[in-house]
Amino acid sequence: QVRLVESGGGSVQPGGSLRLSCAASGLNFRLHPMAWYRQAPGLERELVANVTGGGSTNYAESVKGRFTISRDNVRNTVFLKMESLRPEDTAVYYCNTGARGRNFWGQGTHVTVSS
């Protein structure tokens, strides 16, 4: 059974930082690309960043230079370091992977950026 559990969300001032974590189980973690998505109320869920099993990364244009995705294949965890946060980064952030022929999602962690 594949399970993804996000943590680390919260409220932060503009310009602040947060570090999200996603703990994965039920899969051979090192073989799977991992991704972070986010969804704001009324908006489409969008890809924020992804990382391959080998460590190659891609980012949405809106977060390049501010967010960093990384993974720990020993601890089966993927991270999203978020810096220089803006109000438009406010969303529910979801961990995602493909396994056993389908997509799997965590329950999400809320990030609120406001003054």
Side-chain angles (χ1 to χ4, degrees):
Q1 182 178 355
V2 175
R3 188 180 183 190
L4 306 174
V5 181
E6 302 98 334
S7 62
S11 296
V12 66
Q13 301 261 306
S17 299
L18 286 172
R19 180 175 177 258
L20 308 183
S21 298
C22 172
S25 60
L27 74 166
N28 193 344
F29 180 81
R30 66 180 181 86
L31 300 179
H32 291 267
M34 303 294 297
W36 287 97
Y37 286 73
R38 67 186 181 187
Q39 187 168 23
L43 299 181
E44 187 175 282
R45 186 172 297 186
E46 64 174 344
L47 177 66
V48 176
N50 72 281
V51 58
T52 69
S56 298
T57 59
N58 288 288
Y59 297 91
E61 192 67 29
S62 60
V63 307
K64 283 183 179 178
R66 300 188 298 119
F67 291 10
T68 303
I69 189 170
S70 62
R71 66 192 297 154
D72 185 335
N73 286 341
V74 174
R75 297 173 179 174
N76 290 359
T77 303
V78 62
F79 304 96
L80 186 68
K81 177 63 177 176
M82 307 161 62
E83 297 177 300
S84 300
L85 283 162
R86 305 166 180 168
E88 53 263 43
D89 295 318
T90 296
V92 180
Y93 284 71
Y94 297 92
C95 186
N96 165 268
T97 192
R100 301 175 187 176
R102 56 173 285 182
N103 278 310
F104 291 86
W105 300 89
Q107 291 189 344
T109 185
H110 287 77
V111 172
T112 301
V113 185
S114 67
S115 300

